[in-house]
Every structure is written in structure tokens, then in C-alpha cells.
Amino acid sequence: MSGGSNKRFLFMIVSPNDVPIFSEHFGMLAHQSDKEKDEHEHLYQFVLHAALDAVDVKMWKVKDMNLKDVDTFHEWTVSAYVTPSKTRFLLLHDGPYDDSMKSFFQDIHELYVKAILNPFHGVDQQLNDPRFSDLVHVAARKLGIR
């Protein structure tokens, strides 16, 4: 993603039961103060949850797991990726869809599969393993997101 460090990103994994199980800020959002994050966090989550309806509609119309852009809200765009188990990966960003996002989603899908192979991990259980978060950041850095 060219110029990724100047853009804002919020990545969220949502279980098939519509439970957010992982969330991470990248780019300019990651560098906001805690007060700024708190002021906007509810709006970001609202936009992502509102996009779930659009994801559910589009996933039945498109044969690809990468749904690309599914919704917009002002300057924000929501891109989505759906796994075969109907887990949704949502990326809230302030630029147009970039083909490198597909690679990002595929890298995250591989990490997600490895994380849920643990037989003690439930479908709606939070992915709060610091190693998973670190690997998500590595995947984001490979694409120019900081």
C-alpha cells in the first residue's frame, strides 16, 4: 500500500456469530492519543458493525472470499474478506481499495487458521494472544501499513 503510513486503518475479525474477536489500529489511528482513540472508537465500531449487513449480502453474490469494498461512510471505506467458516475480516480505511489488501487478508487468514487450530479455542473467543497481534502487525508492515 503506497503511503500507508499516512492513512488510517482499523482491522477487525468478527466471528460467524457477529462477535468481534480481534481489533487492531494501524497507520495514523495507531498514533492517536488514548483520548482521541476513545472519542472515535465507538464511531469506528459502529461503521464496521453496520457494514456486516453489506458483507452478508455481498458474500452470497460473489464467489471470491475477498469481497473488496463493501460499504462507505463519509471518507471511510470498509473492505471485507470472508473465510469458509463465515468469519469476517473487516478493514476500515480512508483510501480506495488496493490489490495489496487482498494479500494482507490472505496473510491474516493463514494466521487466523493457525490460531483457531487450538482445540481449546472457542468460535467466539477473543484472539488476545500477543504473538497473534505481533504477527498481524508484521503482515501490515509488509504492505506498508505502520
Side-chain angles (χ1 to χ4, degrees):
M1 306 183 112
S2 58
S5 60
N6 294 327
K7 294 185 178 186
R8 302 172 292 178
F9 299 91
L10 174 60
F11 173 68
M12 184 178 286
I13 299 176
V14 181
S15 78
N17 299 324
D18 295 337
V19 176
I21 58 174
F22 181 80
S23 180
E24 194 66 52
H25 296 86
F26 300 109
M28 296 301 289
L29 289 181
H31 302 293
Q32 288 180 336
S33 69
D34 288 339
K35 182 181 177 185
E36 290 173 318
K37 282 183 187 175
D38 288 343
E39 289 176 2
H40 297 102
E41 188 67 27
H42 294 294
L43 175 63
Y44 302 147
Q45 290 184 7
F46 174 78
V47 172
L48 287 173
H49 282 282
L52 286 174
D53 291 333
V55 171
D56 290 343
V57 169
K58 193 168 182 180
M59 75 181 183
W60 294 108
K61 293 179 180 179
V62 179
K63 295 186 189 305
D64 194 12
M65 294 191 304
N66 183 27
L67 304 180
K68 300 184 181 177
D69 292 346
V70 293
D71 201 7
T72 58
F73 180 79
H74 297 295
E75 76 273 10
W76 294 97
T77 302
V78 178
S79 297
Y81 181 96
V82 181
T83 69
S85 66
K86 305 295 184 259
T87 299
R88 280 77 44 100
F89 299 165
L90 304 174
L91 184 64
L92 179 69
H93 52 97
D94 61 351
Y97 178 83
D98 188 317
D99 284 334
S100 61
M101 288 180 189
K102 179 178 180 178
S103 177
F104 172 73
F105 282 136
Q106 289 171 334
D107 289 348
I108 299 301
H109 187 189
E110 185 177 325
L111 294 172
Y112 174 74
V113 167
K114 290 177 182 176
I116 64 169
L117 283 176
N118 178 348
F120 300 109
H121 189 274
V123 174
D124 294 334
Q125 186 177 344
Q126 294 288 314
L127 288 169
N128 52 12
D129 182 355
R131 292 174 298 172
F132 182 81
S133 182
D134 291 345
L135 292 171
V136 169
H137 279 272
V138 168
R141 277 195 296 272
K142 286 195 301 187
L143 297 174
I145 304 172
R146 303 230 182 275

